Coordinates of all heavy atoms in Angstrom, one line a residue:
Chain B
V60 N 3.0 20.3 1.2 CA 1.9 21.2 1.8 C 2.2 21.5 3.2 O 2.6 20.6 3.9 CB 0.6 20.6 1.6 CG1 -0.5 21.4 2.2 CG2 0.2 20.1 0.2
R61 N 2.0 22.7 3.6 CA 2.4 23.1 5.0 C 1.1 23.6 5.7 O 0.2 24.1 5.1 CB 3.6 24.0 5.1 CG 3.3 25.5 4.6 CD 4.6 26.3 4.5 NE 4.4 27.6 4.0 CZ 5.3 28.5 3.9 NH1 6.6 28.2 4.1 NH2 5.1 29.7 3.5
Q62 N 1.3 23.6 7.1 CA 0.1 24.1 7.8 C 0.9 24.7 9.1 O 1.3 24.0 9.9 CB -0.7 23.0 8.3 CG -1.9 23.4 9.0 CD -3.0 22.3 9.1 OE1 -2.7 21.2 9.3 NE2 -4.3 22.6 9.1
A63 N 0.8 26.1 9.2 CA 1.2 26.8 10.4 C 0.3 26.4 11.6 O -0.9 26.0 11.4 CB 1.2 28.3 10.1
P64 N 0.8 26.5 12.8 CA 0.2 26.1 14.0 C -1.3 26.9 14.0 O -1.3 28.1 14.0 CB 1.0 26.6 15.1 CG 2.4 26.5 14.5 CD 2.3 26.9 13.0
G65 N -2.3 26.1 14.1 CA -3.6 26.6 14.3 C -4.2 27.3 13.0 O -5.3 27.9 13.1
K66 N -3.5 27.1 12.0 CA -3.9 27.7 10.6 C -4.3 26.6 9.5 O -4.3 25.5 9.8 CB -2.8 28.6 10.0 CG -2.3 29.7 11.0 CD -3.4 30.6 11.3 CE -2.8 31.8 12.1 NZ -3.9 32.8 12.6
G67 N -4.7 27.2 8.4 CA -5.2 26.3 7.4 C -3.9 25.8 6.5 O -2.7 26.0 6.7
L68 N -4.4 25.0 5.5 CA -3.4 24.4 4.6 C -2.9 25.2 3.5 O -3.6 26.1 3.0 CB -4.0 23.1 4.0 CG -4.6 22.1 4.9 CD1 -5.5 21.0 4.2 CD2 -3.4 21.3 5.6
E69 N -1.5 25.1 3.2 CA -0.9 26.0 2.1 C 0.0 25.1 1.3 O 0.9 24.5 1.8 CB -0.1 27.1 2.8 CG 0.5 28.0 1.8 CD 1.2 29.2 2.5 OE1 2.0 29.0 3.4 OE2 0.9 30.3 2.1
W70 N -0.3 25.1 0.1 CA 0.6 24.3 -0.9 C 1.8 25.0 -1.1 O 1.9 26.3 -1.1 CB -0.2 24.2 -2.3 CG 0.6 23.6 -3.4 CD1 0.8 22.3 -3.7 CD2 1.3 24.4 -4.3 NE1 1.6 22.2 -4.7 CE2 2.1 23.4 -5.1 CE3 1.7 25.7 -4.6 CZ2 3.0 23.9 -6.2 CZ3 2.5 26.1 -5.5 CH2 3.2 25.1 -6.4
A115 N 5.8 25.6 10.5 CA 4.7 24.9 10.1 C 4.9 23.4 10.2 O 6.2 22.9 10.2 CB 4.3 25.3 8.6
M116 N 3.8 22.6 10.2 CA 3.9 21.2 9.9 C 4.1 21.0 8.4 O 3.2 21.7 7.7 CB 2.8 20.4 10.4 CG 2.8 19.0 10.2 SD 4.0 18.2 11.4 CE 3.0 18.2 12.9
Y118 N 3.9 18.5 5.2 CA 3.3 17.3 4.7 C 3.9 17.0 3.3 O 3.9 17.9 2.4 CB 1.8 17.2 4.7 CG 1.2 17.4 6.0 CD1 0.6 18.5 6.5 CD2 1.1 16.3 6.9 CE1 0.0 18.7 7.6 CE2 0.4 16.4 8.1 CZ -0.2 17.6 8.5 OH -0.8 17.7 9.6
Chain O
Q59 N -10.0 17.1 8.0 CA -8.8 17.1 8.8 C -9.3 17.0 10.2 O -10.0 17.9 10.7 CB -7.8 18.2 8.6 CG -6.5 18.0 9.4 CD -5.5 19.1 9.1 OE1 -5.8 20.3 9.0 NE2 -4.2 18.8 9.2
P65 N -4.5 15.7 6.6 CA -5.8 15.7 5.9 C -6.1 14.4 5.2 O -5.2 13.6 4.8 CB -5.6 16.8 4.8 CG -4.5 17.6 5.5 CD -3.6 16.8 6.1
T106 N -12.5 19.5 10.6 CA -12.4 20.8 9.8 C -12.3 20.3 8.3 O -11.7 19.3 8.0 CB -11.2 21.6 10.1 OG1 -11.3 22.0 11.5 CG2 -11.2 22.8 9.3
Y108 N -11.8 21.3 4.3 CA -11.1 22.3 3.3 C -11.4 21.9 1.8 O -11.5 20.8 1.5 CB -9.5 22.2 3.4 CG -9.0 22.6 4.7 CD1 -8.8 21.7 5.8 CD2 -8.7 24.0 5.0 CE1 -8.2 22.0 7.0 CE2 -8.1 24.4 6.2 CZ -7.9 23.4 7.2 OH -7.4 23.7 8.5
F119 N -5.9 26.3 -1.2 CA -7.0 25.8 -0.4 C -7.9 26.9 0.2 O -7.5 28.0 0.2 CB -6.4 25.0 0.9 CG -5.6 23.8 0.5 CD1 -4.3 23.9 0.1 CD2 -6.2 22.6 0.7 CE1 -3.5 22.7 -0.1 CE2 -5.4 21.4 0.4 CZ -4.1 21.5 0.1
G120 N -9.1 26.4 0.5 CA -10.0 27.4 1.2 C -9.5 27.5 2.7 O -8.7 26.7 3.1
P121 N -10.0 28.4 3.4 CA -9.5 28.7 4.7 C -10.1 27.7 5.8 O -9.6 27.7 6.9 CB -10.1 30.1 5.1 CG -11.3 30.1 4.2 CD -11.0 29.5 2.9
G122 N -11.1 26.8 5.3 CA -11.4 25.7 6.2 C -12.8 26.1 6.8 O -13.2 27.2 7.1

Side-chain angles (χ1 to χ4, degrees):
Chain B
V60 177
R61 68 185 179 184
Q62 187 170 35
K66 302 297 183 183
L68 301 168
E69 182 176 52
W70 174 84
M116 183 71 78
Y118 297 99
Chain O
Q59 188 179 31
T106 300
Y108 295 92
F119 291 86

